Amino acid sequence: MKATYATYFVYYVLISSGFVNAFEPISTTFVVGAGVGLAAVGRRVYNYVYESCNSKWIAFNSTGLEVALDQKLFGQHVASRVIQKAVTGFMNNKNPKKPLVLSLHGWTGTGKNLVSQLIAENIYKEGMASSCVHQFVTSTHFPHSSQLENYKSQLQQWIKGNVTNCPRSIFIFDIFDGMDQMHPGLIDCIKPYLGYYDNLDGVSYRQAIFIFLSNTGGEHITQVALHFWKAGRDREEIKLHDLEPALSLSVLNNKKSGLWHTSLMDKNLVDFFVPFLPLEFRHVRLCGMAEMAAKGLKPDQDVVDQMARDLVYFPMSEKIFSVQGCKTIGSKLDYYT
């Protein structure tokens, strides 16, 4: 059956390319009847045309990730370094002991979704459009609490099926749309896939990446950044050790967080809690300039400055940090240009 499928796939390619029309009838019969030889060719042609789980479609670019983080992620020196080292170390490890589990934390618009995108773009040729990248949004995929048991089963089957198809898969749980209010126990059902197991029911999850995006801990991260600002210290002096311990505790103790309902943390299944700092006026300007360039517009500093000044900043007395970060920059620029 496989040989027949591959044979006719090649034949279709030849016909659509105009090659078969140039053959004599006897040659055409030979092409169709080539069997096993054409089956091998068919597989190669199919894998060339359609995304497959191989090195043509999946190849980690460490330098590309580093450059992308430097040029596209603004104001996040801590997160950039953690992400670069964590992903590079994991992807270069030929025999990881567990999947890579990243938990990204911070206020909206600080770059968490962007980081997920940059990781995908530097692993998969198709980036976020890759069939190996799977994103879950609570309100879309798990809207009804009465269906919790069904959701658990579907989620487990979905993850198992996709990892079976391609071990090098990424699963993104987008908290922006409500995972902080996710049904208790839903994420807990995938806990076995995140652990130190050779395989579960014959499937190994050790090459997969799981990314959780959350606003939880944003207040603590902001307090640290504000403390540095009031002390007259440079923002770039903030280190991971200034943020990570208290961040992990704030997530663990936050009963509104979906992660609180799980034992992911007390089982040490999260490899890195990655803090995203609140963005200042200067970072919003950088986002604006980058957005104009991405839209094919000539960057205009005056336009960007006006847009950035009109955004809302907090705390009310100091007005240091952008309330929405860079989240609405694209639509705002449409108004100002």
Side-chain angles (χ1 to χ4, degrees):
M1 179 63 73
K2 291 183 178 179
T4 301
Y5 174 79
T7 299
Y8 281 100
F9 177 76
V10 173
Y11 189 54
Y12 168 77
V13 172
L14 293 175
I15 291 175
S16 62
S17 302
F19 292 130
V20 171
N21 293 333
F23 295 157
E24 295 295 331
I26 189 172
S27 301
T28 303
T29 302
F30 174 77
V31 171
V32 175
V36 176
L38 274 181
V41 175
R43 283 191 294 272
R44 289 196 295 270
V45 173
Y46 185 88
N47 289 340
Y48 181 83
V49 176
Y50 296 100
E51 185 182 25
S52 303
C53 189
N54 57 43
S55 59
K56 169 180 167 47
W57 298 94
I58 304 175
F60 177 56
N61 184 349
S62 178
T63 301
L65 178 60
E66 183 177 10
V67 171
L69 289 169
D70 181 63
Q71 296 182 352
K72 298 181 180 181
L73 183 66
F74 305 115
Q76 303 298 351
H77 66 283
V78 176
S80 290
R81 179 172 175 78
V82 175
I83 292 297
Q84 175 67 24
K85 292 179 72 66
V87 175
T88 298
F90 178 76
M91 293 299 295
N92 288 341
N93 186 349
K94 296 181 179 180
N95 187 30
K97 296 186 181 298
K98 67 181 294 293
L100 177 63
V101 182
L102 302 173
S103 191
L104 315 187
H105 296 264
W107 291 135
T108 184
T110 52
K112 300 185 294 294
N113 267 324
L114 175 60
V115 162
S116 301
Q117 174 186 326
L118 297 181
I119 292 173
E121 289 176 351
N122 285 282
I123 294 178
Y124 307 101
K125 182 178 179 180
E126 297 294 299
M128 289 294 290
S130 171
S131 60
C132 299
V133 177
H134 314 282
Q135 190 161 12
F136 299 92
V137 179
T138 302
S139 63
T140 300
H141 297 102
F142 319 112
H144 307 296
S145 58
S146 61
Q147 296 296 315
L148 178 59
E149 293 306 314
N150 287 335
Y151 293 153
K152 286 183 179 182
S153 177
Q154 291 168 5
L155 184 57
Q156 289 175 327
Q157 293 175 18
W158 182 253
I159 292 175
K160 180 179 180 180
N162 282 291
V163 173
T164 299
N165 185 55
C166 187
R168 187 66 80 185
S169 293
I170 289 181
F171 300 91
I172 302 169
F173 293 87
D174 191 340
I175 299 177
F176 286 128
D177 199 50
M179 187 174 153
D180 281 336
Q181 290 79 41
M182 180 171 272
H183 312 302
L186 182 56
I187 293 302
D188 199 40
C189 78
I190 69 170
K191 182 178 65 176
Y193 306 140
L194 311 182
Y196 295 83
Y197 297 102
D198 289 333
N199 66 75
L200 294 171
D201 296 327
V203 179
S204 174
Y205 298 86
R206 291 185 170 191
Q207 294 186 61
I209 297 177
F210 292 83
I211 303 176
F212 299 93
L213 314 180
S214 176
N215 294 332
T216 302
E219 183 176 352
H220 168 75
I221 296 170
T222 297
Q223 289 302 317
V224 172
L226 185 61
H227 173 76
F228 271 70
W229 183 86
K230 289 183 175 180
R233 300 177 63 183
D234 195 318
R235 177 190 180 96
E236 280 63 38
E237 293 181 46
I238 300 176
K239 305 297 182 185
L240 179 62
H241 63 74
D242 295 314
L243 298 163
E244 190 176 39
L247 172 60
S248 61
L249 287 176
S250 69
V251 174
L252 182 63
N253 294 325
N254 187 347
K255 296 185 179 182
K256 293 181 180 180
S257 171
L259 291 178
W260 181 86
H261 296 290
T262 76
S263 53
L264 296 185
M265 295 181 61
D266 59 7
K267 296 295 183 181
N268 295 314
L269 297 178
V270 177
D271 297 297
F272 295 93
F273 289 94
V274 187
F276 283 70
L277 296 165
L279 299 182
E280 301 173 11
F281 176 81
R282 56 187 169 124
H283 305 123
V284 174
R285 290 174 60 192
L286 291 172
C287 289
M289 297 294 282
E291 183 66 23
M292 290 194 76
K295 289 176 176 290
L297 303 174
K298 182 179 179 180
D300 188 322
Q301 189 66 64
D302 292 336
V303 169
V304 170
D305 284 354
Q306 181 62 49
M307 178 274 301
R309 281 194 295 268
D310 288 348
L311 296 181
V312 179
Y313 294 84
F314 72 98
M316 288 299 294
S317 55
E318 295 91 351
K319 295 185 177 180
I320 308 166
F321 306 120
S322 170
V323 170
Q324 293 185 305
C326 288
K327 192 175 184 66
T328 61
I329 293 299
S331 57
K332 291 287 186 182
L333 282 175
D334 290 337
Y335 172 79
Y336 287 92
T337 55

